[in-house]
């Protein structure tokens, strides 16, 4: 059995980009692998957070994990800060990483753009992500395309440490990316990725959005003026993005969809996409409402933390030994 690890930040507004790019894979993988799914709260504080909101968002994400079909009996589901090994290994790996490679990370460049000084956590956050992954001897990391560079860094760090401290110190993991859905773009600007933090609420569809909001966001999504439903990222990024979403939700290929909407305008296409999206999200929302306030949710996270901690402790013992730390 392979070991799978992934994480989502509890920063609110989990959207269909997160779902189609990452979360959907989590469910697919859990029957045949040993899966560990984390709510990465220590990552969230790389930017300022309101403590009350953060606590709420941790449970929101946990409930969404369960609502999309992650079964805490099959998979380990837990909150990152419940297992101290993440911060501990993060420090060790910080000492193996170079500032040069961290300054090159695209998300860092984007978030620090134009600022003379930013929180140091924004720079070292990919190292904490590497620690999350390496702490569990992970083989596979299901994520969206935007995380490719971070996965490469994780692999580089593992290979570097193994070369110096012994080749079985860390397992070198592989990223896993969806064929369709790996990069869902903002509905109002199909040249930037759909994001939790974008100010325009209509730029994204959140998993718990009401049908009326979903309809508005899709109907006003940016397209173009030629009225042909065709996949062409270069010239028709808006329509291409909607086709990717449609395909990821239904399993129909883009070619099938192009044929289906041949001769139809964007109106029909968008109306159907509204229906597809509303229908796909309805059961998630229903299950979320059942579970969000339940004791079952808290119990699952406590049990998950214990199981994760047992694995993490073993790795940290090995790491301390290899690095010559402690007595
Ligand atoms: P933001 O959307 O604000 O940039 P984020 O990328 O930091 O948030 P996370 O919660 O850390 O969001 O991401 C969870 C998962 O969702 C990651 O695997 C990430 O690659 C994936 N993901 C995020 N945005 C998209 C997107 N637009 N399309 C596909 N996958 C995405
Ligand atoms: N950096 C990721 C979230 C994340 C993650 C992880 C994903 C933190 N630790 C470990 C996979 C494995 C993000 O911002 N999307």
């Amino acid at each position: 059995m392979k070991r799978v690890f992934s994480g989502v930040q509890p920063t609110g507004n989990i959207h269909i980009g997160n779902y189609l790019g990452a979360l959907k894979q989590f469910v697919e993988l859990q029957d045949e692998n040993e899966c560990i799914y984390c709510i990465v709260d220590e990552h969230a504080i790389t930017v300022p957070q309101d403590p009350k909101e953060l606590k709420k968002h941790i449970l929101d994400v946990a409930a969404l994990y369960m609502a999309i079909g992650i079964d805490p009996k099959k998979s380990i589901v837990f909150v990152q800060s419940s297992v101290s090994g993440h911060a501990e290994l993060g420090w060790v790996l910080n000492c193996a990483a170079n500032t040069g490679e961290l300054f090159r990370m695209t998300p860092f460049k984007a978030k620090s753009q134009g600022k003379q000084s930013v929180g140091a956590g924004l720079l070292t956050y990919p190292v904490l992500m590497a620690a999350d992954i390496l702490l569990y001897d992970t083989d596979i990391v299901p994520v969206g395309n935007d995380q490719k560079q971070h996965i490469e860094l994780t692999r580089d760090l593992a290979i570097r440490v193994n070369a110096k401290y012994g080749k079985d110190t860390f397992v070198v993991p592989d990223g896993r990316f969806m064929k369709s859905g790996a990069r869902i773009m903002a509905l109002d600007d199909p040249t930037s990725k759909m994001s939790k933090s974008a100010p325009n609420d209509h730029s994204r569809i959140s998993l718990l959005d009401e049908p009326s909001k979903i309809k508005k966001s899709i109907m006003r999504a940016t397209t173009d003026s030629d009225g042909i439903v065709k996949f062409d990222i270069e010239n028709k990024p808006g329509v291409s993005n909607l086709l990717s979403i449609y395909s990821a939700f239904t399993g129909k290929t883009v070619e099938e969809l192009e044929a289906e909407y041949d001769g139809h305008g964007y109106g029909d296409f968008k109306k159907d996409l509204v229906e597809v999206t509303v229908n796909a999200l309805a059961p998630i929302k229903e299950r979320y409402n059942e579970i969000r306030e339940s004791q079952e949710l808290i119990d699952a996270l406590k049990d998950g933390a214990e199981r994760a901690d047992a694995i993490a402790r073993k790795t940290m013992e090995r790491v301390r030994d290899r690095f010559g730390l402690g007595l």
Side-chain angles (χ1 to χ4, degrees):
M1 260 207 189
K2 297 250 189 213
R3 173 82 49 77
V4 172
F5 182 95
S6 197
V8 173
Q9 301 194 45
T11 42
N13 287 328
I14 299 284
H15 51 72
I16 57 170
N18 301 129
Y19 178 64
L20 298 173
L23 290 160
K24 212 169 136 219
Q25 302 189 67
F26 295 6
V27 184
E28 289 167 10
L29 286 163
Q30 70 176 347
D31 286 327
E32 318 245 308
N33 302 279
E34 193 183 345
C35 296
I36 306 178
Y37 297 125
C38 187
I39 298 141
V40 290
D41 54 347
E42 289 169 339
H43 284 267
I45 58 168
T46 52
V47 295
Q49 298 289 342
D50 175 75
K52 273 203 193 108
E53 284 290 297
L54 181 58
K55 270 217 189 304
K56 180 180 157 296
H57 285 147
I58 289 171
L59 292 180
D60 291 347
V61 174
L64 268 177
Y65 271 170
M66 316 284 175
I68 61 164
I70 293 172
D71 177 352
K73 290 195 186 72
K74 289 185 194 156
S75 303
I76 296 179
V77 181
F78 76 107
V79 183
Q80 183 185 29
S81 61
S82 310
V83 176
S84 59
H86 292 258
E88 202 177 346
L89 184 57
W91 175 256
V92 173
L93 290 177
N94 258 321
C95 298
N98 304 312
T99 50
E101 62 193 346
L102 300 183
F103 280 120
R104 278 199 297 276
M105 295 289 128
T106 319
F108 172 74
K109 285 202 266 188
K111 284 183 181 160
S112 61
Q113 212 175 26
K115 297 184 189 134
Q116 242 201 353
S117 183
V118 294
L122 264 189
L123 179 66
T124 55
Y125 140 108
V127 181
L128 181 60
M129 172 163 167
D132 299 339
I133 296 166
L134 300 180
L135 189 57
Y136 297 97
D137 294 333
T138 303
D139 300 295
I140 303 168
V141 189
V143 276
N145 259 350
D146 61 314
Q147 297 299 310
K148 258 193 180 145
Q149 217 186 5
H150 291 160
I151 302 291
E152 268 318 299
L153 176 77
T154 304
R155 291 171 56 85
D156 289 348
L157 288 173
I159 291 167
R160 193 176 305 159
V161 168
N162 286 353
K164 185 158 181 201
Y165 297 97
K167 67 175 175 11
D168 56 351
T169 308
F170 292 128
V171 171
V172 182
D174 285 304
R176 185 182 191 267
F177 309 94
M178 296 298 276
K179 280 199 190 71
S180 63
R183 192 171 171 81
I184 300 296
M185 310 310 280
L187 297 177
D188 62 337
D189 170 16
T191 59
S192 58
K193 83 167 184 121
M194 186 175 285
S195 159
K196 287 190 224 154
S197 43
N200 180 3
D201 207 28
H202 288 293
S203 68
R204 70 188 146 253
I205 294 169
S206 297
L207 294 191
L208 302 175
D209 274 350
E210 293 298 331
S212 58
K213 151 72 176 62
I214 295 174
K215 185 172 177 195
K216 252 191 212 147
S217 301
I218 291 179
M219 295 315 283
R220 62 169 73 168
T222 303
T223 49
D224 50 59
S225 54
D226 74 6
I228 300 166
V229 180
K230 192 172 171 328
F231 194 89
D232 178 351
I233 291 266
E234 283 276 295
N235 303 306
K236 299 166 68 67
V239 174
S240 303
N241 188 39
L242 296 180
L243 274 166
S244 296
I245 296 171
Y246 202 137
S247 164
F249 271 131
T250 56
K252 291 182 185 173
T253 64
V254 165
E255 292 74 26
E256 281 167 353
L257 291 170
E258 283 173 347
E260 197 174 325
Y261 288 96
D262 188 20
H264 292 259
Y266 295 152
D268 287 350
F269 172 60
K270 281 181 162 180
K271 234 183 267 159
D272 290 352
L273 180 56
V274 171
E275 198 181 315
V276 160
T277 308
V278 168
N279 288 341
L281 299 186
I284 295 178
K285 204 166 161 179
E286 194 178 321
R287 177 87 182 110
Y288 175 89
N289 288 333
E290 281 166 19
I291 203 158
R292 174 59 178 82
E293 303 299 333
S294 71
Q295 186 57 33
E296 186 190 342
L297 183 66
I298 308 287
D299 292 345
L301 292 174
K302 284 190 178 154
D303 176 61
E306 271 176 33
R307 287 155 69 201
D309 193 52
I311 304 171
R313 274 173 194 277
K314 281 201 191 129
T315 312
M316 280 320 297
E317 256 172 51
R318 187 171 76 231
V319 168
R320 276 189 226 104
D321 178 56
R322 294 291 164 86
F323 278 74
L325 294 166
L327 291 178

